[in-house]
Amino acid sequence: KAGVTQTPRYLIKTRGQQVTLSCSPISGHRSVSWYQQTPGQGLQFLFEYFSETQRNKGNFPGRFSGRQFSNSRSEMNVSTLELGDSALYLCASSPFQGSNTEAFFGQGTRLTVV
Amino acid sequence: SQQGEEDPQALSIQEGENATMNCSYKTSINNLQWYRQNSGRGLVHLILIRSNEREKHSGRLRVTLDTSKKSSSLLITASRAADTASYFCATVRGTGNQFYFGTGTSLTVIP
Protein backbone atom coordinates (compact mmCIF):
# COMPACT_ATOMS: atom_id res chain seq x y z
CA LYS A 1 0.00 0.00 0.00
CA ALA A 2 1.52 3.31 -1.02
CA GLY A 3 2.01 5.88 1.72
CA VAL A 4 1.10 9.54 1.77
CA THR A 5 2.76 11.34 -1.11
CA GLN A 6 3.60 15.01 -1.00
CA THR A 7 4.87 16.97 -3.96
CA PRO A 8 7.10 18.71 -4.50
CA ARG A 9 9.63 17.75 -1.83
CA TYR A 10 11.49 21.04 -2.01
CA LEU A 11 10.51 24.52 -3.18
CA ILE A 12 12.22 27.87 -3.28
CA LYS A 13 9.99 30.88 -3.81
CA THR A 14 10.38 34.63 -3.67
CA ARG A 15 8.51 36.88 -1.27
CA GLY A 16 5.16 37.92 -2.71
CA GLN A 17 4.76 34.86 -4.87
CA GLN A 18 2.20 32.15 -4.29
CA VAL A 19 2.70 28.43 -3.98
CA THR A 20 0.59 25.29 -4.24
CA LEU A 21 1.50 22.09 -2.43
CA SER A 22 -0.05 18.73 -3.17
CA CYS A 23 -0.87 15.73 -1.01
CA SER A 24 -2.10 12.33 -2.11
CA PRO A 25 -3.41 10.35 0.87
CA ILE A 26 -3.28 6.63 1.35
CA SER A 27 -5.81 4.93 -0.89
CA GLY A 28 -9.18 4.77 0.87
CA HIS A 29 -8.35 7.51 3.36
CA ARG A 30 -10.83 10.35 3.31
CA SER A 31 -9.41 12.69 5.94
CA VAL A 32 -6.45 14.91 5.09
CA SER A 33 -4.83 17.36 7.49
CA TRP A 34 -2.04 19.88 6.97
CA TYR A 35 0.59 21.04 9.44
CA GLN A 36 3.32 23.64 9.39
CA GLN A 37 6.57 22.88 11.19
CA THR A 38 9.08 25.60 12.03
CA PRO A 39 11.93 25.66 14.55
CA GLY A 40 10.30 28.52 16.44
CA GLN A 41 6.65 27.46 16.52
CA GLY A 42 6.95 23.71 16.21
CA LEU A 43 4.14 21.73 14.61
CA GLN A 44 1.00 23.75 14.07
CA PHE A 45 -2.31 22.62 12.63
CA LEU A 46 -3.39 24.38 9.44
CA PHE A 47 -6.60 22.68 8.35
CA GLU A 48 -8.40 19.40 7.96
CA TYR A 49 -10.52 18.16 5.08
CA PHE A 50 -12.93 15.28 5.02
CA SER A 51 -15.01 14.34 1.99
CA GLU A 52 -14.08 17.58 0.21
CA THR A 53 -15.23 19.75 3.13
CA GLN A 54 -13.00 21.74 5.44
CA ARG A 55 -13.84 20.49 8.92
CA ASN A 56 -11.34 22.38 11.05
CA LYS A 57 -9.04 25.32 10.57
CA GLY A 58 -6.08 26.43 12.61
CA ASN A 59 -5.07 29.94 13.53
CA PHE A 60 -3.44 31.01 10.28
CA PRO A 61 -4.14 34.06 8.11
CA GLY A 62 -6.39 33.86 5.09
CA ARG A 63 -3.33 33.66 2.83
CA PHE A 64 -3.32 29.97 3.68
CA SER A 65 -6.06 28.03 1.96
CA GLY A 66 -6.71 24.52 0.84
CA ARG A 67 -9.09 22.18 -0.85
CA GLN A 68 -9.80 18.52 -1.25
CA PHE A 69 -10.86 16.79 -4.43
CA SER A 70 -13.32 13.95 -4.91
CA ASN A 71 -10.44 11.44 -5.00
CA SER A 72 -9.35 12.74 -1.55
CA ARG A 73 -6.21 14.37 -2.91
CA SER A 74 -5.63 17.72 -1.30
CA GLU A 75 -3.84 20.91 -2.15
CA MET A 76 -2.86 23.82 0.00
CA ASN A 77 -2.11 27.26 -1.33
CA VAL A 78 -0.17 30.09 0.23
CA SER A 79 -0.48 33.47 -1.42
CA THR A 80 1.69 36.55 -1.02
CA LEU A 81 4.51 34.57 0.53
CA GLU A 82 6.41 36.00 3.47
CA LEU A 83 9.84 35.01 4.77
CA GLY A 84 8.15 33.55 7.85
CA ASP A 85 6.29 31.05 5.70
CA SER A 86 9.52 29.12 5.26
CA ALA A 87 8.79 25.79 6.86
CA LEU A 88 8.27 22.09 6.45
CA TYR A 89 4.67 21.49 5.44
CA LEU A 90 3.35 18.11 6.41
CA CYS A 91 0.24 16.37 5.21
CA ALA A 92 -1.42 13.56 7.14
CA SER A 93 -4.17 11.19 6.14
CA SER A 94 -6.56 9.10 8.19
CA PRO A 95 -9.11 6.56 7.05
CA PHE A 96 -12.07 8.39 8.57
CA GLN A 97 -12.90 11.30 10.76
CA GLY A 98 -12.82 10.11 14.28
CA SER A 99 -10.86 11.04 17.33
CA ASN A 100 -9.30 7.65 17.95
CA THR A 101 -7.46 7.16 14.70
CA GLU A 102 -3.79 7.48 14.00
CA ALA A 103 -2.52 9.74 11.26
CA PHE A 104 -0.15 8.74 8.49
CA PHE A 105 2.22 11.49 7.50
CA GLY A 106 3.94 12.24 4.24
CA GLN A 107 7.61 13.20 4.00
CA GLY A 108 6.71 16.86 3.76
CA THR A 109 7.41 19.74 1.43
CA ARG A 110 10.28 21.96 2.47
CA LEU A 111 9.37 25.53 1.43
CA THR A 112 12.02 28.22 1.48
CA VAL A 113 10.96 31.81 0.88
CA VAL A 114 13.76 34.20 -0.12
CA SER B 1 0.51 27.62 19.58
CA GLN B 2 1.40 24.17 20.74
CA GLN B 3 -0.93 22.29 22.98
CA GLY B 4 1.68 20.84 25.24
CA GLU B 5 5.18 20.83 26.49
CA GLU B 6 7.63 17.99 26.52
CA ASP B 7 10.65 17.44 28.63
CA PRO B 8 13.43 17.06 28.42
CA GLN B 9 13.98 19.06 25.24
CA ALA B 10 17.03 16.93 24.51
CA LEU B 11 18.19 13.60 25.85
CA SER B 12 21.41 11.75 25.17
CA ILE B 13 21.90 8.17 26.33
CA GLN B 14 24.05 5.12 25.65
CA GLU B 15 22.75 2.26 23.56
CA GLY B 16 20.99 -0.27 25.77
CA GLU B 17 19.80 2.29 28.30
CA ASN B 18 16.19 3.29 28.76
CA ALA B 19 14.86 6.66 27.63
CA THR B 20 11.95 8.43 29.27
CA MET B 21 10.18 11.43 27.81
CA ASN B 22 7.37 13.37 29.41
CA CYS B 23 4.52 15.33 27.92
CA SER B 24 2.13 17.73 29.60
CA TYR B 25 -0.97 19.18 28.00
CA LYS B 26 -3.52 21.81 28.86
CA THR B 27 -7.09 20.71 28.12
CA SER B 28 -9.23 17.60 28.26
CA ILE B 29 -8.49 15.09 25.53
CA ASN B 30 -9.96 12.12 23.71
CA ASN B 31 -6.63 10.45 23.24
CA LEU B 32 -2.92 11.11 23.23
CA GLN B 33 -0.56 9.83 20.59
CA TRP B 34 3.19 9.64 20.28
CA TYR B 35 5.05 10.17 17.02
CA ARG B 36 8.69 9.92 15.96
CA GLN B 37 10.37 12.17 13.42
CA ASN B 38 13.74 11.49 11.85
CA SER B 39 15.68 14.62 10.93
CA GLY B 40 13.14 16.86 9.20
CA ARG B 41 11.14 14.09 7.62
CA GLY B 42 7.58 12.94 8.13
CA LEU B 43 6.19 11.76 11.43
CA VAL B 44 5.71 8.09 12.17
CA HIS B 45 2.96 6.98 14.52
CA LEU B 46 4.18 5.02 17.53
CA ILE B 47 1.29 4.49 19.90
CA LEU B 48 -2.17 5.81 20.79
CA ILE B 49 -3.58 5.81 24.31
CA ARG B 50 -7.20 6.67 24.96
CA SER B 51 -8.26 8.98 27.75
CA ASN B 52 -9.76 6.08 29.72
CA GLU B 53 -6.54 4.06 29.56
CA ARG B 54 -3.66 4.43 31.98
CA GLU B 55 -0.91 2.38 30.38
CA LYS B 56 -0.16 0.83 27.04
CA HIS B 57 2.68 -1.24 25.64
CA SER B 58 3.97 -1.80 22.13
CA GLY B 59 7.18 -3.72 21.74
CA ARG B 60 9.92 -1.74 23.51
CA LEU B 61 7.55 1.20 24.08
CA ARG B 62 5.55 1.86 27.20
CA VAL B 63 3.21 4.82 27.47
CA THR B 64 1.40 6.03 30.56
CA LEU B 65 -1.34 8.61 30.80
CA ASP B 66 -2.46 10.52 33.87
CA THR B 67 -5.47 12.63 32.95
CA SER B 68 -5.71 14.12 36.44
CA LYS B 69 -2.24 15.61 35.99
CA LYS B 70 -2.68 16.12 32.25
CA SER B 71 0.55 14.31 31.56
CA SER B 72 1.94 11.34 29.70
CA SER B 73 5.26 9.60 29.52
CA LEU B 74 6.94 7.52 26.84
CA LEU B 75 9.50 4.94 27.89
CA ILE B 76 11.77 3.32 25.31
CA THR B 77 13.54 0.32 26.77
CA ALA B 78 16.88 -1.09 25.63
CA SER B 79 17.45 1.82 23.25
CA ARG B 80 19.23 1.41 19.93
CA ALA B 81 21.11 3.87 17.75
CA ALA B 82 18.21 3.68 15.31
CA ASP B 83 15.95 5.21 17.97
CA THR B 84 17.76 8.53 17.50
CA ALA B 85 15.02 10.94 16.47
CA SER B 86 12.65 13.59 17.77
CA TYR B 87 9.62 12.38 19.65
CA PHE B 88 6.37 14.30 19.84
CA CYS B 89 3.21 13.82 21.81
CA ALA B 90 -0.03 14.87 20.17
CA THR B 91 -3.42 15.32 21.75
CA VAL B 92 -6.75 15.04 20.06
CA ARG B 93 -9.86 16.88 21.17
CA GLY B 94 -13.34 16.64 19.76
CA THR B 95 -14.29 14.45 16.86
CA GLY B 96 -11.88 15.62 14.20
CA ASN B 97 -8.36 14.70 13.32
CA GLN B 98 -6.87 17.95 14.56
CA PHE B 99 -3.69 17.18 16.47
CA TYR B 100 -2.04 19.49 18.95
CA PHE B 101 1.62 18.65 19.15
CA GLY B 102 4.05 19.13 21.99
CA THR B 103 7.40 20.80 21.62
CA GLY B 104 9.22 17.52 21.13
CA THR B 105 12.15 15.71 22.71
CA SER B 106 15.30 15.18 20.69
CA LEU B 107 16.73 11.80 21.59
CA THR B 108 20.28 10.79 20.73
CA VAL B 109 21.33 7.20 21.34
CA ILE B 110 25.09 6.79 21.32
CA PRO B 111 26.32 3.43 19.97
Side-chain angles (χ1 to χ4, degrees):
Chain A
K1 203 177 201 182
V4 178
T5 303
Q6 289 189 247
T7 56
R9 290 293 310 280
Y10 302 92
L11 263 180
I12 300 176
K13 289 286 188 178
T14 304
R15 266 184 308 174
Q17 287 186 316
Q18 76 166 20
V19 67
T20 299
L21 312 182
S22 178
C23 171
S24 293
I26 291 172
S27 177
H29 286 196
R30 296 166 63 191
S31 172
V32 174
S33 301
W34 289 88
Y35 294 83
Q36 180 196 64
Q37 185 176 28
T38 60
Q41 298 297 316
L43 281 152
Q44 296 191 85
F45 171 77
L46 280 156
F47 23 67
E48 179 201 1
Y49 289 88
F50 182 80
S51 294
E52 301 178 66
T53 302
Q54 186 180 91
R55 298 301 177 110
N56 292 292
K57 189 177 194 304
N59 189 26
F60 278 82
R63 299 185 297 108
F64 291 82
S65 63
R67 58 179 175 168
Q68 186 180 34
F69 302 95
S70 58
N71 62 357
S72 293
R73 190 177 71 85
S74 177
E75 288 181 346
M76 69 163 278
N77 185 277
V78 188
S79 62
T80 319
L81 284 166
E82 300 176 0
L83 295 178
D85 297 333
S86 293
L88 180 66
Y89 290 88
L90 293 164
C91 164
S93 79
S94 299
F96 48 81
Q97 190 179 44
S99 59
N100 286 317
T101 59
E102 67 181 271
F104 296 82
F105 283 81
Q107 293 299 298
T109 294
R110 172 76 62 185
L111 172 65
T112 302
V113 182
V114 298
Chain B
S1 61
Q2 286 129 354
Q3 161 74 343
E5 299 287 330
E6 291 177 63
D7 76 273
Q9 285 191 325
L11 180 60
S12 184
I13 59 174
Q14 296 288 332
E15 203 166 31
E17 295 181 335
N18 296 341
T20 300
M21 289 158 261
N22 302 297
C23 165
S24 61
Y25 57 92
K26 298 173 184 173
T27 64
S28 62
I29 61 172
N30 288 332
N31 68 65
L32 186 144
Q33 304 184 29
W34 285 88
Y35 287 83
R36 184 186 75 226
Q37 183 179 39
N38 288 87
S39 190
R41 303 187 64 166
L43 282 77
V44 175
H45 181 263
L46 295 176
I47 197 164
L48 180 157
I49 185 165
R50 292 180 168 78
S51 59
N52 61 353
E53 297 176 312
R54 291 297 166 257
E55 187 172 312
K56 204 160 183 181
H57 297 253
S58 177
R60 294 185 295 114
L61 306 179
R62 173 179 170 256
V63 168
T64 62
L65 179 64
D66 187 334
T67 53
S68 67
K69 294 181 180 178
K70 292 186 170 57
S71 67
S72 174
S73 68
L74 170 67
L75 168 68
I76 303 174
T77 60
S79 63
R80 305 166 181 167
D83 295 328
T84 295
S86 292
Y87 291 81
F88 295 89
C89 66
T91 55
V92 179
R93 303 178 292 193
T95 57
N97 291 327
Q98 181 174 352
F99 293 170
Y100 295 87
F101 285 91
T103 49
T105 292
S106 176
L107 172 66
T108 301
V109 181
I110 303 166

